[in-house]
Amino acid sequence: GVNSQVEMAAAFTRAGFCAIDVHMTEIFSGAVDLGRFRGLVACGGFSYGDVLGAGEGWAKSILYHNRIRDQFRDFFESKSTFTLGVCNGCQMLATLKELIPGADLWPKFVRNSSEQFEARLSLVRVEESSSLFLSDMAGSRLPIVVSHGEGRADISSSDADELQRHGLIAVRFTNNSGEIARIYPNNPNGSSDGITGVTTPDGRIMAMMPHP
């Protein structure tokens, strides 16, 4: 299940890329190999009904298949590639973090604190980070839609501090005053310290919950 893939393809096309729609079945069958691509974008959507782990089911279909697991690991490790995961794709990448260099401290994205699906316009703040997607955008505050039932960044205070120290927090929920949103509804899912987007040390791989 995926949505907004046409809009995502349009955005990358306007940025000068040649966007190609690939389904997981094409990768499993061998019809498509990730090695031919420079970038990978895992779009938002509702794999497994966005319940019982949502993007985890998507990720485990990769983790439990040796050939596909190796293909994704090689793609993530290549210095000439980039990867973006949004919403369901964010959950998927967070579950694949053992294959992603520098993603050790990434949070797991779990059930919203509200115990319900949240679809609303949220305000986010771009943080100072290594993300190549957000280069020169630190401090920007943007209204971005969220649409998820399992988007809460579950992370310990010490790991959050480490993410902050290494510049790996890419996006946070904020209130109208530009302060970190810690309470509902400005923080729609209850994420620790408003964390809703993370990146890797080299900035090539980013996962974010809101739909840009």
Side-chain angles (χ1 to χ4, degrees):
V2 74
N3 64 38
S4 304
Q5 75 272 20
V6 175
E7 292 87 342
M8 185 68 80
F12 274 88
T13 298
R14 290 191 176 194
F17 292 90
C18 177
I20 299 174
D21 196 1
V22 174
H23 195 275
M24 284 298 297
T25 55
E26 295 176 283
I27 298 176
F28 279 107
S29 71
V32 172
D33 189 299
L34 292 181
R36 61 180 281 210
F37 299 103
R38 180 60 57 89
L40 167 67
V41 183
C43 298
F46 302 98
S47 67
Y48 300 87
D50 200 32
V51 295
L52 303 176
E56 283 198 26
W58 187 359
K60 287 173 180 175
S61 71
I62 296 166
L63 290 173
Y64 297 157
H65 190 297
N66 290 337
R67 179 176 61 83
I68 304 302
R69 175 192 175 98
D70 290 345
Q71 192 175 146
F72 273 82
R73 185 195 61 230
D74 291 346
F75 186 89
F76 294 144
E77 290 180 350
S78 172
K79 298 297 185 182
S80 63
T81 65
F82 65 85
T83 303
L84 172 65
V86 174
C87 194
N88 209 153
C90 172
Q91 296 161 335
M92 184 265 269
L93 286 185
T95 306
L96 292 178
K97 67 180 184 179
E98 65 186 79
L99 307 181
I100 300 174
D104 314 65
L105 296 173
W106 280 13
K108 184 176 181 180
F109 292 88
V110 299
R111 186 74 176 161
N112 297 342
S113 294
S114 64
E115 291 292 330
Q116 64 184 7
F117 183 86
E118 298 289 344
R120 61 176 69 246
L121 189 65
S122 295
L123 192 61
V124 303
R125 186 180 74 199
V126 177
E127 301 293 84
E128 190 74 53
S129 78
S130 57
S131 174
L132 66 83
F133 296 95
L134 303 174
S135 178
D136 300 323
M137 290 180 66
S140 299
R141 282 189 278 162
L142 309 168
I144 301 183
V145 168
V146 295
S147 182
H148 57 254
E150 299 182 335
R152 176 169 59 88
D154 184 20
I155 187 171
S156 68
S157 296
S158 59
D159 282 352
D161 289 343
E162 282 296 293
L163 282 178
Q164 174 68 31
R165 189 165 70 85
H166 293 289
L168 302 183
I169 298 174
V171 183
R172 276 191 166 103
F173 290 119
T174 183
N175 60 25
N176 292 339
S177 300
E179 301 162 334
I180 296 173
R182 293 186 169 86
I183 60 174
Y184 184 88
N186 290 322
N187 183 326
N189 51 41
S191 290
S192 303
D193 288 328
I195 297 170
T196 194
V198 289
T199 188
T200 52
D202 63 6
R204 292 186 302 105
I205 303 175
M206 186 174 80
M208 63 183 293
M209 190 52 58
H211 289 253

